[in-house]
Amino acid sequence: MSRTLKKEGKFNYIEVGEGQPIIVLHGLMGGLSNFDAVTTFFSNKGYKVIIPELPVYTMPLIKTNVKAFAKYLFDFIEFKKLDNVVLLGNSLGGHIGLYHTKLHPEKVKALAITGSSGLYESAMGGGYTKRSDYEVIKKKAQEVFYDPEVATKEIVDEVYETVNDRNKLIKTLAIAKSAIRHNMAKDLPNMNVPTCIIWGKNDGVTPPEVATEFNTLLPNSDLFWIDKCGHAAMMEHPDTFNQILFDWLKSRQI
């Protein structure tokens, strides 16, 4: 489904629906389209879904880090004059959501993370960072999912283009190092925001034990598993993912 990208100030974003705002945070290799099913489902259920384009490859190198992206998110929330947002993040997006919540808990009503970095240091950029031929990149992209067919040619092409662009490759490495530096194990026990953790049982990027650790360290979290599912649950099992998150939000009266 094609969405209209709004451009206002320094922000590019998609906005669909009305109601409780859900801000969706995409991952390092993930485009906004990865959340099409989420956008369609929740915008029809009384939520306003907003997906900002994170400046993953456009920030100056010195600012290409988790902390700067969390600041960008805070600026975006301020720009949109929002309060009590739900943050939903996959992979790097989950890490940015967590870090923002640590700094500005008063802005966040709830968190939802799936395949998030923040605890497991090889969650980002691993294996993508050696420039290589198309078939190798295709195999790496397929490994993100339980079902390799989910890695469409469009997805593989995007990853291939990223790792063969010197500027993007340098930024990818900078983000990977930043994710390691910004490990959140010590912060999580102090974060009381309600958190929904949805994880693929077959996630090879951030393995299941990472989800278990998040759930152990976060004082107000619930963990849900999706079987036969890799690193991007909202793409691989969109209906199951959406229903889990919707039921959880309702149970928390959000």
Side-chain angles (χ1 to χ4, degrees), residues 35 37-38 41-42 88-90 112-115 196-200 224 226 229 232-248:
F35 289 90
V38 167
F41 181 91
F42 283 96
L88 163 59
N90 171 238
I113 56 173
T114 181
C196 180
I197 305 166
I198 305 175
W199 224 265
F224 303 92
I226 299 180
C229 180
M234 72 288 167
M235 293 173 70
E236 201 158 4
H237 292 281
D239 294 345
T240 305
F241 181 90
N242 289 336
Q243 197 61 52
I244 288 171
L245 181 54
F246 181 64
D247 290 345
W248 181 83

Side-chain angles (χ1 to χ4, degrees), residues 128 136-145 148 151 155-156 159:
Y128 281 115
V136 174
I137 294 298
K138 182 179 178 181
K139 188 168 183 301
K140 292 301 295 183
Q142 288 175 335
E143 285 170 4
V144 169
F145 305 101
I155 288 169
V156 178
V159 175

Side-chain angles (χ1 to χ4, degrees), residues 15-206:
E15 184 176 69
V16 187
E18 287 301 329
Q20 164 68 50
I22 299 176
I23 298 181
V24 175
L25 304 165
H26 60 81
L28 179 60
M29 300 277 179
L32 277 56
S33 62
N34 293 7
F35 289 90
D36 272 354
V38 167
T39 307
T40 301
F41 181 91
F42 283 96
S43 63
N44 287 311
K45 290 274 195 276
Y47 295 88
K48 183 198 290 269
V49 182
I50 310 170
I51 315 181
E53 210 170 50
L54 298 171
V56 174
Y57 300 119
T58 54
M59 281 272 203
L61 188 58
I62 196 158
K63 287 189 174 176
T64 301
N65 58 60
V66 172
K67 189 174 181 179
F69 296 142
K71 168 84 166 64
Y72 183 90
L73 172 59
F74 177 75
D75 291 347
F76 179 70
I77 291 170
E78 289 286 280
F79 173 78
K80 291 291 292 174
K81 297 183 170 61
L82 296 172
D83 269 308
N84 293 321
V85 299
V86 175
L87 297 180
L88 163 59
N90 171 238
S91 201
L92 171 67
H95 198 164
I96 293 165
L98 285 159
Y99 200 84
H100 172 277
T101 303
K102 169 193 157 181
L103 299 175
H104 306 286
E106 75 287 349
K107 289 280 179 191
V108 182
K109 195 169 192 175
L111 261 173
I113 56 173
T114 181
S116 178
S117 59
L119 285 177
Y120 183 64
E121 63 184 35
S122 63
M124 308 261 313
Y128 281 115
T129 47
K130 294 185 184 70
R131 289 201 252 181
S132 45
D133 68 40
Y134 189 84
E135 285 307 310
V136 174
I137 294 298
K138 182 179 178 181
K139 188 168 183 301
K140 292 301 295 183
Q142 288 175 335
E143 285 170 4
V144 169
F145 305 101
Y146 176 80
D147 175 6
E149 293 299 308
V150 180
T152 60
K153 184 176 184 304
E154 187 183 11
I155 288 169
V156 178
D157 287 351
E158 195 174 324
V159 175
Y160 181 76
E161 186 269 326
T162 297
V163 297
N164 281 286
D165 177 319
R166 182 171 159 71
N167 176 51
K168 287 185 177 179
L169 185 67
I170 289 167
K171 298 279 178 77
T172 300
L173 287 166
I175 293 165
K177 286 176 183 163
S178 162
I180 296 166
R181 279 200 313 278
H182 292 92
N183 185 290
M184 301 204 59
K186 290 188 174 71
D187 303 311
L188 298 177
N190 303 314
M191 292 169 55
N192 288 302
V193 171
T195 305
C196 180
I197 305 166
I198 305 175
W199 224 265
K201 275 191 179 174
N202 312 89
D203 187 340
V205 182
T206 45

